[in-house]
Amino acid sequence: MRIKSAAILSGVILCFLPGAAENPQIYYRSGVAANAALASFDSKNPDCQLWTNWQKMCSRTGPNGETHCVSSSAPVRPSAPFCVARTDQPYDDSDTSASQAERLSHSRYCKRTTTGHSSNGENCSRDLSRPFSGLVLKERSHPWCAKWTPVLSRQKFGAKSSRYGFYCADRRVPDWCAWPEGLGYGRQVGQSSAGEEIIPVLFNPESRAINGIYCRRRAPNAR
């Protein structure tokens, strides 16, 4: 029994170290099984507004709040789906209701450090090349945004521009969503500065596991 307990404990410790992504508990034997798990997570978590299995990122931002998903721009192995945003709650990287597999999947691209960043106060250095980091324009594609613009101008800031990703410069949020999240902030198309420079809000892409659009609160009269 002692040997078995030690093996389990070692597995838990290793899940937070580099290489945790290979923990077999979070993966599926086939794409069919992964898709079934993603669909099951959707139906069992109606209050979750933004979730992923690292191959797809989903939210309830389709017509009338139906599920809308976007695929990763790079082929990655899908793992256990996990939620990062729930109804009427701020983005939360510390979902207390998450299963062990969900927590392991969540930390898949996280390397614990003493100087990293995380929305829940833990030190975590996340891989900037991970899916849905918010830095890949293709993964930012969404019906609620007609134009994405670099937060920092490439002409003015050069390579530093790619470090902070994009914000939506032309919003198309439907009336049923009263509180959209994930669109960022900055000058909108056709907006005049009236002599004042409009400075976009800088966002650290490492501070959250994934960066996507979701509706935090529906309008009171929405069905």
Side-chain angles (χ1 to χ4, degrees), residues 24-98:
Q25 297 181 56
I26 66 175
Y27 295 109
Y28 300 93
R29 294 185 177 181
S30 68
V32 172
N35 288 334
L38 190 65
S40 176
F41 186 90
D42 183 349
S43 62
K44 291 181 179 179
N45 294 271
D47 66 327
C48 182
Q49 298 301 323
L50 183 65
W51 66 97
T52 186
N53 66 357
W54 292 113
Q55 187 178 68
K56 293 181 179 180
M57 176 174 63
C58 301
S59 60
R60 303 191 190 284
T61 54
N64 299 314
E66 296 173 6
T67 299
H68 171 84
C69 297
V70 61
S71 297
S72 167
S73 61
V76 296
R77 194 177 179 188
S79 54
F82 59 91
C83 182
V84 295
R86 295 187 181 276
T87 304
D88 283 338
Q89 296 180 10
Y91 188 109
D92 188 5
D93 264 342
S94 56
D95 189 349
T96 57
S97 65

Side-chain angles (χ1 to χ4, degrees), residues 15-23 26-28 52-56 72 74-82 101-112 124-127 130-131 209:
C15 76
F16 294 106
L17 298 176
E22 299 308 316
N23 193 306
I26 66 175
Y27 295 109
Y28 300 93
T52 186
N53 66 357
W54 292 113
Q55 187 178 68
K56 293 181 179 180
S72 167
V76 296
R77 194 177 179 188
S79 54
F82 59 91
E102 290 168 6
R103 292 194 297 270
L104 292 175
S105 184
H106 177 277
S107 62
R108 179 173 165 180
Y109 292 96
C110 171
K111 180 180 179 181
R112 302 296 173 178
C124 177
S125 177
R126 294 192 171 94
D127 186 347
R130 72 190 184 284

Side-chain angles (χ1 to χ4, degrees), residues 117 128 135 159-165 203-206:
H117 305 275
L128 292 179
L135 302 179
K160 187 177 181 180
S161 172
S162 62
R163 177 65 176 74
Y164 292 96
F203 174 74
N204 183 356
E206 280 192 73

Side-chain angles (χ1 to χ4, degrees), residues 122-221:
E122 295 183 357
N123 291 327
C124 177
S125 177
R126 294 192 171 94
D127 186 347
L128 292 179
S129 64
R130 72 190 184 284
F132 315 119
S133 64
L135 302 179
V136 179
L137 188 58
K138 182 179 179 181
E139 294 177 351
R140 297 296 275 157
S141 177
H142 193 280
W144 291 9
C145 183
K147 182 179 181 180
W148 291 96
T149 298
V151 173
L152 297 180
S153 168
R154 291 193 180 96
Q155 294 181 342
K156 185 176 181 180
F157 295 94
K160 187 177 181 180
S161 172
S162 62
R163 177 65 176 74
Y164 292 96
F166 310 86
Y167 76 90
C168 181
D170 190 358
R171 298 185 175 205
R172 304 294 174 86
V173 180
D175 293 339
W176 62 260
C177 181
W179 191 340
E181 293 273 18
L183 293 166
Y185 301 93
R187 187 194 303 276
Q188 296 294 293
V189 172
Q191 182 178 7
S192 173
S193 63
E196 297 180 2
E197 183 179 3
I198 299 176
I199 302 176
V201 176
L202 295 182
F203 174 74
N204 183 356
E206 280 192 73
S207 65
R208 298 176 175 180
I210 60 171
N211 296 297
I213 296 173
Y214 64 96
C215 183
R216 180 168 170 176
R217 181 180 301 164
R218 295 176 68 92
N221 59 347

